[in-house]
Amino acid sequence: MFEMKEEYYLGVDAMDAEHIKLFEIAEKAFVLLNDQFIIDKFDYIVKIMEELRDYTVVHFSDEEAYMESIQYKKFFSHKIEHQEFIEKINQIDWDEVEKDQEKAILAILEFLNNWLVNHILYTDKLYV
């Protein structure tokens, strides 16, 4: 379900490769949601979200360095979007995740789908 589609490519190889990785992390959440053999998914959710947080920190740093190198005029507003993404991950209520794991995974998938697609198509495309 989560894959890097042709329209998401920016033409900046390093950024495209990192976006592919972000879609792969989202796909892990989707696979987890549909895995009926894992009853308690909490630890898996935590692991996926830690991977997502850690990788986005790296990706955002790389992307921001690229934007600075090309003197992108909307750098600061773009950086704010990155910070908001990290804050959203850091504000996860793990007690709520524990209570309703399926609902939590669905919320994570909805957030990732909306954010990845919109951010790449409408924000990242502006700097290329």
Side-chain angles (χ1 to χ4, degrees), residues 20-85:
I20 289 168
K21 176 67 175 173
L22 291 170
F23 277 100
E24 289 171 355
I25 295 169
E27 180 66 16
K28 288 180 185 181
F30 180 73
V31 168
L32 178 62
L33 174 68
N34 293 298
D35 190 332
Q36 297 179 4
F37 296 106
I38 301 173
I39 305 302
D40 185 358
K41 299 178 180 183
F42 182 80
D43 291 339
Y44 296 94
I45 297 168
V46 171
K47 184 176 178 183
I48 289 169
M49 294 310 293
E50 286 175 346
E51 180 182 9
L52 178 65
R53 183 194 60 231
D54 294 347
Y55 194 76
T56 53
V57 167
V58 170
H59 169 62
F60 291 162
S61 175
D62 292 345
E63 192 172 71
E64 290 165 12
Y66 176 78
M67 288 187 292
E68 284 183 313
S69 77
I70 62 168
Q71 299 177 340
Y72 179 56
K73 291 180 180 7
K74 295 184 179 183
F75 170 77
F76 290 107
S77 61
H78 199 117
K79 184 173 178 142
I80 288 169
E81 286 189 34
H82 289 170
Q83 290 168 341
E84 289 171 349
F85 182 92

